[in-house]
Amino acid sequence: MEYEILGWPPDGPTLRLDHERFSYAGKFVMSNTGKAVAREDGEVVAAVAFNEDRTDDRTLWLRYVTVRNDRRGEGIGPELLSRVREAAREWGYDRLRIAVNNPYAFEALYRTGFAYTGETTGIAELVLEYPPEAVGADPEKRYREGLAEFEGRELTDGEERFLAEKGERGPPERIE
């Protein structure tokens, strides 16, 4: 697997991803965000888009993360996020933030060191932040609080099973 940062905002590259194989595919054609990808045999299997916070130039927002449908669950997304996180730190960003709307994304971000801030956006996305110390609470506690935020929401059967399983097992191992 090859991982590559393609560009930084505001003059990021565009990506054309197959909308039938990638969630949020249309969001990657915009050039106002930086992009990073994971490739296998030259083909994109995961991508992330990011941009600087409008009010804090030390914060980078991860906007969209997508892994090709047939490659989900292999750890490609968390590994790509880890690499973007490290590149962002090298570029001088003190913290990264992302808003997630499903328990799968929540889990992947937790694995890469993000912690739930206790905040949600106006569209009910959970805001996560790295480094977890910035959140000011035990990451495991925040993990359970974040999972609880998804309870009672309209979820797919798969998401419901996922939540039940994760609630019983507790937090996953973190990728360092």
Side-chain angles (χ1 to χ4, degrees):
M1 190 73 56
E2 298 173 16
Y3 297 89
E4 181 182 6
I5 305 293
L6 299 178
W8 288 89
D11 298 317
T14 61
L15 286 175
R16 298 219 180 265
L17 302 174
D18 181 348
H19 71 278
E20 292 180 357
R21 298 172 76 192
F22 290 92
S23 299
Y24 310 112
K27 303 297 184 181
F28 288 86
V29 297
M30 300 183 311
S31 63
N32 63 339
T33 58
K35 312 279 186 321
V37 296
R39 287 190 181 102
E40 188 170 75
D41 298 325
E43 188 175 335
V44 173
V45 295
V48 60
F50 45 87
N51 66 284
E52 192 171 271
D53 187 292
R54 291 184 184 112
T55 61
D56 180 1
D57 64 1
R58 307 296 291 168
T59 299
L60 186 73
W61 275 91
L62 303 176
R63 292 297 174 189
Y64 302 99
V65 179
T66 188
V67 177
R68 200 173 70 196
N69 297 342
D70 65 332
R71 300 301 299 268
R72 291 180 180 166
E74 295 180 27
I76 299 167
E79 179 63 28
L80 178 59
L81 290 169
S82 291
R83 290 171 186 250
V84 169
R85 181 188 71 206
E86 293 310 311
R89 292 183 73 141
E90 289 173 15
W91 277 73
Y93 293 99
D94 293 332
R95 68 182 182 165
L96 283 75
R97 296 189 107 193
I98 187 169
V100 300
N101 63 4
N102 68 74
Y104 302 123
F106 180 82
E107 178 90 356
L109 272 294
Y110 178 87
R111 289 184 65 209
T112 60
F114 284 76
Y116 176 48
T117 63
E119 301 171 37
T120 57
T121 67
I123 53 176
E125 294 174 317
L126 280 63
V127 178
L128 287 79
E129 187 171 303
Y130 180 89
E133 303 82 48
V135 172
D138 174 38
E140 185 171 331
K141 178 182 178 201
R142 288 292 191 179
Y143 173 82
R144 293 187 186 286
E145 290 171 356
L147 284 183
E149 285 286 333
F150 290 107
E151 293 175 9
R153 291 187 179 189
E154 190 173 317
L155 302 172
T156 66
D157 290 342
E159 289 171 331
E160 291 282 354
R161 285 190 300 276
F162 183 83
L163 273 182
E165 177 185 307
K166 296 302 173 182
E168 290 173 11
R169 259 201 262 160
E173 296 278 327
R174 290 210 187 240
I175 299 170
E176 294 302 326

